Amino acid sequence: MPDTKKFIENLSGAGKCIGVLTSGGDAQGMNAAVRAVVRMGIYVGAKVYFIHEGYQGMVDGGDNIKEASWESVSSMLQVGGTVIGSARCKDFRTHEGRLRAALNLVQRGITNLCVIGGDGSLTGANLFREEWSGLLDELVQSGEISEEASQIYSALHIVGMVGSIDNDFCGTDMTIGTDSALHRIIEVVDAIMTTAQSHQRTFVLEVMGRHCGYLALVSALACGADWVLIPEMPPKDGWEEQMCYKLSENRADKKRLNIIIVAEGAIDQSNKPITTELIKDLVVRCLGFDTRVTVLGHVQRGGTPSAFDRILASRMGVEAVLALLEASPGTPACVVSLCGNQAVRVPLMECVQMTQEVQKAMDEKRFEEAVRLRGRSFENNLNTYKLLSHRKIDSELPHSSFNVAVLNVGAPAAGMNAAVRSAVRVGITEGHTMFAVSDGFEGFYKGQIKEIKWGDVGGWTGQGGSLLGTKRTLPAKHIDKIAEQMRIHNINALLVIGGFEAYLGLMELQAARSKHAELCVPMVMVPATVSNNIPGSDLSIGADTALNAITDTCDRIKQSASGTKRRVFIIETMGGYCGYLATVGGLAAGADAAYIYEEPFDIRELQSNVEHLTEKMKTSIQRGLVLRNENCSENYTTDFIYQLYNEEGKGVFDCRKNVLGHMQQGGAPSPFDRNFGTKIAAKAMQWISKKLKEFYREGRVFANTEDSACLLGMRRRALVFQPVVQLKDETDFVHRIPKEQWWLRLRPLMKILAKYKTSYDVSDSGQLEHIVRLRAKDVSAI
C-alpha cells in the first residue's frame, strides 16, 4: 500500500463524460454495476451516459445514448438482467460500424467507456480503443468532426467489468452473475431432491457452460452430486462402467436418489460431446434405474441478483470510475475484478489471452493445463470435489489408527453441516476414524460422542442449522470431564466448527493443556457464525446466507414502501456488536443509512439522516430504508430511532419498523456457504492429518506447541492457519469482535451510493496487477 493516503475528495471528474453499456449475454448484477457507475460518476462531478442496447446503441446513436441522472438508477439494484438492454451487434464488428460509434461518442464528448460484458465484448472494446485515433482522423477528413474536436477527444479510456454467469474469464475469481446463477441451480436441485427421493429416481441435470465447467463443478460440490461432467476434465476411458458402479453402490448404501450434473459443453477424451440423453440411456440400459433429465436453460440467467453479486457489482462499478479518473493516454485498458475479497485491476488483454489459452489447451487435449490456466480457485474446487466424491473401498484406504472428533459450538449457522460432511469424508479418506460430538462442549463432557461414517453425512450439504446440535457452553468449567472423555474415546485431534464461543473454547482448551495431557492434541477451528465476528478471518460460514435473508426481506419491504410512498423503514439486524450484516446488507439492499457499534454516532447524525430523507422525499424516490445493528448503541434503540424519525418526519414521511430476528440464522445454506464450508473443512482435515504425523511419538500423539491449536481463516486472498494465542491481541473480548475489520472500508461506498458526501480512502485502488503475478501469489486461494 502506498505511504501517502489517497482520498476520493482529491479526484475530480469535472468535465469528463463516461458512457456505460452492457453487452453480450445478460447476467444478474449488471444493473447494480450500472447503478454504481452512474452514481459514483455523478458524485465525482462527471456526466454519465447510458448507452442502451450495447454496442448496437453506440453504433445507432440517437436516443440510444442518454444522459443518466441519480434517480434514473433507483430501484435497479434488485432487478435481474440489464435494464439498459444488451444486444449481439454485427455492425460493431465492421470498421464502418466502429466509425459511426466513434462519431456518436465524440458528438457527446464521451471519452471514457465502462463496458460490462463477457470476453467478446471486452475484446471489441479494446480493438475500438486501439483504432480510436485512426477513426478520429477519418472523421476529420470526411468533415464530420473538427480538427479541434479530434485533439480534445484524442484518447479513449476503457475499463471493463466481467458480467458472465459462466465465470469463464481468467484473471478474476468471480464474474458478475455467477453467484446468482448458482443460486438458481441450487434452488432447482434442492427441489428435485425431494421428488427424486420419493420415487428413488436418478436425475441428470444440464447446466450452462459451453466452454467452462465452473457452474457444474461448484453446484456438484454444493449439492453433493454423485457425478459431474465438465469440459475441462473429460472422464477417462471406461468412465461409463465407473459411473454406473458408483450409482449402484450409492443405492446399495440406502441412498434413494442419484444426481448427475452435466455442463452443456461436456466432452469425452476424444472431444466428442457427452449429452444428458446419452447419460440417461446409459443409466437405464446398465442399471435399469428410473431416470429423468432436466435442462435448466435460461432459468440460470434469470431472477433477482444474490447479495454477493450486488456487492461485487457495486464495488466493481465504483472501482471502474476510479480507474477511469486515474487513466492517462498510456494506461492499458483494464478489467476491475475481485481476488479473494480485494478489488484489483488487471490488464484487459492479459485476461483475454489467458481465457483464449484455456480454450486452445482444451482443443489440443491438454486438459490438465486448461484446469491450471483457469486459476487456483477452479483447481481447488476440482481437487475438493475429487477428494469428496470417490469413496474408496476399505482395502484402498490408508489406515492411520487415529481418532478425530468434530463438533459444532455456538449459535447455528447455515453451512455448518456442509463443513461437517466434508470433514468426515476427508477424514475417512485419510484413514482416520471420525467421531461426532452432539451439542457442542456440553455434549462433549456428557459423553455424547459416537463414531460417524461416510454414509451418515449423505445429503447434509443442503441442510440449514446444525444437525449435530450446537450449544454456547464453554469448556473451562467442565475441563476435567472433557479430558476424561478424550481419554475414554482416545481422541487424537479436534475440529471445532463454530462462532465466537468456539474461538474462546479453543483458547480455554489450550490453556488447560498444562494440567491435562489428553488435551495435548492438534486442534483447529473453522469459523461459522452469521455475525462474521471472528478474529483472523475476513469471512465465516453462514454470513452469506444471512446476508441473502436480509437482502430478500429488504427487497420486499422496499416494494411495499414504493407502493405506499413517503415511507421509511427501520430494520434491525443481528450480529451482536459486529456491524457486518448491517453494513454489507445495507450496501446490497440500497439502504440510506446503517447504524453500527464500530462507527459511533450521535443525535446530530440521526438529525442529518432525517434531513437527508426529507430531501429525498422531494424527488421521485419516495421511500427510505435504514438498517440498525442490534447492539449499535445502548440508548439509541430501534424504538428510539423509529420514534425520532416518526416525530421529525411528521408531514413528510411516516415510519415502520421491522426486527428481522432469527430468520437470519435459518434457511437452506447459500451456494457460497455450502462451497466455503466444504472447502475450508477439507483443508482443516488435511492440516490435522499432517499435524498427527508430526506429533506422533513413541506410540502416542503429543502436541503442546502454540501452532498445534489454530484457527483457519480467510485473509484477503488466502486461507491461513493462525495459532489462536497469537490472535488474542487482535480481539476485543468485551464486544466479541476483531479490533480491525476489512468491511469497514465498504461503508463509504454505501454512503456515496446513497448520496452522502463522505471521505473515502482509495489508497488500496489503482495498482494494476499482472495476471501471472496474481497466480503466483494466490497460493491457497479458496
Side-chain angles (χ1 to χ4, degrees), residues 279-352:
I279 291 168
K280 179 188 169 178
D281 294 344
L282 179 70
V283 174
V284 172
R285 192 176 69 246
C286 297
L287 301 168
F289 289 173
D290 185 359
T291 306
R292 298 282 191 275
V293 169
T294 301
V295 177
L296 266 65
H298 282 74
V299 163
Q300 295 159 88
R301 286 195 191 280
T304 184
S306 65
F308 181 93
D309 272 331
R310 297 180 198 196
I311 293 150
L312 171 68
S314 299
R315 287 179 70 185
M316 299 300 95
V318 167
E319 185 70 22
V321 173
L322 294 177
L324 287 170
L325 292 183
E326 292 172 0
S328 62
T331 314
C334 75
V335 169
V336 289
S337 93
L338 203 64
C339 195
N341 64 16
Q342 201 182 358
V344 292
R345 299 176 193 172
V346 279
L348 189 149
M349 284 323 285
E350 282 185 22
C351 298
V352 169

Side-chain angles (χ1 to χ4, degrees), residues 624-675:
L625 187 67
V626 175
L627 268 59
R628 179 193 174 273
N629 159 266
E630 58 185 350
N631 286 351
C632 66
S633 164
E634 204 178 328
N635 297 312
Y636 298 139
T637 60
T638 302
D639 282 334
F640 177 90
I641 292 174
Y642 162 69
Q643 286 162 351
L644 177 85
Y645 271 64
N646 236 348
E647 185 61 36
E648 295 294 318
K650 241 183 207 161
V652 183
F653 57 81
D654 67 352
C655 263
R656 294 287 183 275
K657 62 175 184 199
N658 265 58
V659 176
L660 298 184
H662 282 75
M663 62 160 279
Q664 294 160 86
Q665 264 179 18
S670 67
F672 181 90
D673 279 332
R674 296 179 193 201
N675 199 9

Side-chain angles (χ1 to χ4, degrees), residues 14 24 72 79 85 92 146 150 206-207 225 245 273 279 333 374 403 422 455 458 480 490 531 555 574 619 624 781:
S72 63
V79 180
F92 195 73
S146 64
S150 82
E206 181 184 290
V207 301
Y245 174 73
I279 291 168
R374 278 263 181 251
N403 296 339
S422 172
D480 298 348
N490 189 24
S531 306
D555 285 352
M574 277 181 147
T619 70

Side-chain angles (χ1 to χ4, degrees), residues 592-593 595 601-616 644-645 648 653 751 754-757:
D592 295 283
Y595 300 119
F601 57 97
D602 57 18
I603 197 76
R604 284 181 295 278
E605 186 166 342
L606 289 169
Q607 181 62 38
S608 90
N609 290 151
V610 172
E611 286 162 10
H612 189 269
L613 282 165
T614 307
E615 283 305 303
K616 188 179 175 183
L644 177 85
Y645 271 64
E648 295 294 318
F653 57 81
K751 291 179 182 174
K755 217 175 185 176
Y756 282 94
K757 286 283 172 210

Side-chain angles (χ1 to χ4, degrees), residues 64-100:
N64 287 306
I65 306 176
K66 277 189 189 149
E67 191 175 344
S69 68
W70 192 275
E71 283 87 26
S72 63
V73 290
S74 174
S75 299
M76 274 170 79
L77 194 57
Q78 62 267 36
V79 180
T82 164
V83 170
I84 58 173
S86 177
R88 311 264 178 200
C89 176
K90 288 191 179 130
D91 294 346
F92 195 73
R93 292 186 178 161
T94 66
H95 182 77
E96 186 51 47
R98 291 193 291 277
L99 192 65
R100 280 178 15 227

Side-chain angles (χ1 to χ4, degrees), residues 25-38:
D26 68 316
Q28 307 95 320
M30 280 183 164
N31 290 324
V34 170
R35 170 182 177 266
V37 169
V38 169

